[in-house]
């Protein structure tokens, strides 16, 4: 009796092995980049291994959706059935067509990128020529006959306010100007013409201020054209006048700096010798 039961079990085992062998089927990977062998039926499962193009896998069973359980060189896991082909040659043909499509798509992408880059450069040049040099506020130094600190702030695309605290004749001047900017000066991107008007208030030492203009000997304390006329009086000279500006400004494309060269004529209203020419160069740091 025991021999009969053992024989029946042996027949059942052989039958199961033959059935499994009959069901088992080999497939080939047709994806040109290979596929991932995962621990479960989905892309959210970890990757066990990578099966290369035309790699042979053994079908084990179906899984959820279009996923199947396979064996690849002793490693078992799940792959998507759309990446498998029953015939090796068919996988080769499919992959060849896929490589051709990828090559065509790559060429199209390269052409698109080149065209996009060229268009972007053209747009950048046009924008660079029409915008306010890419900055809003800059702070720096002015050096010239009147030297000091300069703050410049754009209030619109082509208009800016500049405030200057300067020093001359042992005194201080306060200047505020509105400036118009014309970009692409001399055909150079980043270079602009600047011109404008404003007001200047000056607080100077009278002895130094008038000595600058009356160079010939003049010692008559009653003659207002002689600086000695102001020598024994209050040395503080307070004046208010109109100032203009004209020049060029350049913004460096790779560093946050601007450089300008300009002339600033100004006319002080309450004084006889009230017209002056003031030239300067400026270097400012761009904040934004």
């Amino acid at each position: 009796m025991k021999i009969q039961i053992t024989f029946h079990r042996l027949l059942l085992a052989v039958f199961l092995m033959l059935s499994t062998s009959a069901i088992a089927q080999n497939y080939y990977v047709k994806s040109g980049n290979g596929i991932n062998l995962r621990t479960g039926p989905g892309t959210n499962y970890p990757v066990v291994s990578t099966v290369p193009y035309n790699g042979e896998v053994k079908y084990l069973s179906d899984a959820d959706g279009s996923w199947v359980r396979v064996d690849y060189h002793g490693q078992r896991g799940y792959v998507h059935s759309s990446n498998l082909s029953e015939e090796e040659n068919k996988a080769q043909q499919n992959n060849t067509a896929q490589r051709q499509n990828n090559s065509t798509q790559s060429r199209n992408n390269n052409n698109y990128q080149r065209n996009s880059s060229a268009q972007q450069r053209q747009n950048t040049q046009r924008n660079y020529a029409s915008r306010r040099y890419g900055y809003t506020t800059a702070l720096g130094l002015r050096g010239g006959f009147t030297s000091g600190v300069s703050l410049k702030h754009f209030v619109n695309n082509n208009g800016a306010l500049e405030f200057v605290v300067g020093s001359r004749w042992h005194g201080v001047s306060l200047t505020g100007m509105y400036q118009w900017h014309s970009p692409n000066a001399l055909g150079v991107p980043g270079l602009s013409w600047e011109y404008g008007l404003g007001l200047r208030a000056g607080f100077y030492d009278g002895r130094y201020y008038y000595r600058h203009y009356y160079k010939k000997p003049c010692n008559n304390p009653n003659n207002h054209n002689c600086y000695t006329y102001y020598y024994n009086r209050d040395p503080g000279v307070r004046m208010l006048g109109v100032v203009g500006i004209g020049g060029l400004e350049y913004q460096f494309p790779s560093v946050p700096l601007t450089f300008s060269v300009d002339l600033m004529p100004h006319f002080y209203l309450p004084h006889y010798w009230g017209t002056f020419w003031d030239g300067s160069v400026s270097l400012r740091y761009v904040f934004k």
Side-chain angles (χ1 to χ4, degrees):
M1 185 68 178
K2 293 182 179 179
I3 296 176
Q4 185 177 3
I5 294 175
T6 304
F7 179 74
H8 287 167
R9 290 180 178 177
L10 180 60
L11 288 178
L12 180 60
V14 171
F15 175 77
L16 292 175
M17 291 176 61
L18 293 175
S19 299
T20 304
S21 300
I23 295 174
Q25 184 178 355
N26 292 341
Y27 288 89
Y28 300 90
V29 175
K30 65 180 182 179
S31 176
N33 297 324
I35 58 176
N36 291 325
L37 185 67
R38 298 182 178 273
T39 59
T43 57
N44 57 322
Y45 288 92
V47 176
V48 177
S49 178
T50 300
V51 184
Y53 158 72
N54 223 18
E56 183 179 1
V57 298
K58 181 180 294 185
Y59 169 84
L60 297 179
S61 62
D62 289 333
D64 296 339
S66 299
W67 291 79
V68 293
R69 188 166 181 263
V70 297
D71 180 280
Y72 175 65
H73 296 317
Q75 292 181 315
R76 296 189 175 187
Y78 296 83
V79 297
H80 200 274
S81 60
S82 63
N83 296 317
L84 301 179
S85 175
E86 296 181 0
E87 299 179 4
E88 184 175 6
N89 292 333
K90 184 178 179 180
Q92 176 68 31
Q93 294 172 359
N94 292 340
N95 186 66
T96 300
Q98 183 176 357
R99 286 200 303 268
Q100 292 176 350
N101 292 335
N102 290 340
S103 178
T104 302
Q105 184 66 32
S106 178
R107 288 195 298 269
N108 293 336
N109 290 337
N110 291 336
N111 292 333
Y112 176 78
Q113 290 177 358
R114 286 195 295 268
N115 294 334
S116 298
S117 298
Q119 185 66 35
Q120 185 177 5
R121 287 194 297 270
Q122 293 176 359
N123 292 338
T124 299
Q125 291 176 354
R126 285 196 295 266
N127 293 336
Y128 200 77
S130 61
R131 63 191 172 95
R132 56 191 182 199
Y133 316 112
Y135 79 93
T136 303
T137 304
L139 178 66
L141 299 176
R142 273 189 176 273
F145 295 117
T146 299
S147 299
V149 179
S150 167
L151 174 66
K152 195 168 186 176
H153 177 75
F154 277 87
V155 294
N156 55 55
N157 286 343
N158 297 313
L161 294 173
E162 182 180 2
F163 302 96
V164 181
V165 179
S167 175
R168 191 178 183 183
W169 297 311
H170 287 218
V172 176
S173 64
L174 304 176
T175 306
M177 297 174 288
Y178 183 86
Q179 301 172 6
W180 291 270
H181 288 71
S182 179
N184 205 29
L186 306 177
V188 179
L191 185 66
S192 70
W193 296 105
E194 58 177 4
Y195 48 93
L197 292 171
L199 297 175
R200 171 174 287 182
F203 307 89
Y204 305 118
D205 187 322
R207 288 169 288 183
Y208 289 93
Y209 175 81
Y210 291 103
R211 184 183 302 170
H212 180 74
Y213 288 94
Y214 309 123
K215 299 184 182 299
K216 62 182 180 179
C218 184
N219 296 317
N220 185 359
N222 297 318
N223 184 356
H224 69 276
N225 290 328
C226 298
Y227 69 87
T228 53
Y229 176 81
Y230 304 91
Y231 187 84
N232 295 320
R233 291 168 172 78
D234 182 6
V237 178
R238 295 172 292 275
M239 289 175 288
L240 179 67
V242 179
V243 62
I245 186 172
L248 289 167
E249 181 183 74
Y250 179 74
Q251 183 190 3
F252 295 93
S254 56
V255 292
L257 294 175
T258 65
F259 178 78
S260 63
V261 179
D262 47 53
L263 291 175
M264 296 175 62
H266 53 283
F267 179 80
Y268 283 131
L269 301 176
H271 182 58
Y272 178 75
W273 296 90
T275 305
F276 306 98
W277 284 95
D278 198 351
S280 63
V281 294
S282 302
L283 183 67
R284 303 183 189 89
Y285 177 81
V286 175
F287 287 97
K288 59 179 180 177

